[in-house]
Amino acid sequence: MVRISKPKTFQAYLDDCHRRYSCAHCRAHLANHDDLISKSFQGSQGRAYLFNSVVNVGCGPAEERVLLTGLHAVADIHCENCKTTLGWKYKKKRRPRGARYLAYSHTTG
Ligand SMILES: [Zn+2]
């Protein structure tokens, strides 16, 4: 179990606590609103959502990749239901604000 020690920054949105994020293609559930860390992260394909945990995703092989925030070990993640690529996952500790997963434009809320 990984303990997230930094304060969460999205508490202003928690009143909408039943909201879920899902695959834009097949609507499979991907994450709870509670697991959303940031909606304003910039990924290589535009704005990305940053999640603490996700479900229903598969993971490709890890690789070193230069992102806007520096060199990271990441692995692409895809929807396990329809295989749409959703974003990527950080493999090491150097990740923004304790986050583990990024999913970009193929995710809808
Ligand atoms: Zn899908």
Side-chain angles (χ1 to χ4, degrees):
M1 209 54 179
V2 177
R3 176 178 288 183
I4 307 298
S5 56
K6 292 187 177 180
K8 295 177 180 178
T9 57
F10 53 86
Q11 289 190 349
Y13 302 99
L14 279 182
D15 52 327
D16 192 13
C17 60
H18 296 297
R19 188 170 178 182
R20 286 193 180 93
Y21 292 86
S22 50
C23 174
H25 191 67
C26 72
R27 309 301 297 175
H29 286 162
L30 298 176
N32 264 315
H33 192 71
D34 284 358
D35 291 317
L36 178 66
I37 292 172
S38 173
K39 277 177 143 178
S40 57
F41 197 88
Q42 282 299 124
S44 60
Q45 298 188 20
R47 183 188 286 189
Y49 292 169
L50 197 58
F51 294 102
N52 188 40
S53 68
V54 293
V55 296
N56 298 321
V57 301
C59 181
E63 62 179 47
E64 296 277 315
R65 196 179 298 173
V66 178
L67 306 175
L68 293 178
T69 48
L71 182 66
H72 294 278
V74 299
D76 284 328
I77 56 173
H78 56 266
C79 174
E80 264 191 333
N81 190 42
C82 71
K83 309 305 180 192
T84 298
T85 299
L86 298 165
W88 65 90
K89 169 185 177 179
Y90 290 96
K91 301 292 284 187
K92 289 184 180 173
K93 291 177 182 175
R94 287 186 58 199
R95 53 204 185 201
R97 283 182 266 177
R100 292 191 66 188
Y101 297 95
L102 271 172
Y104 39 69
S105 48
H106 302 296
T107 306
T108 60

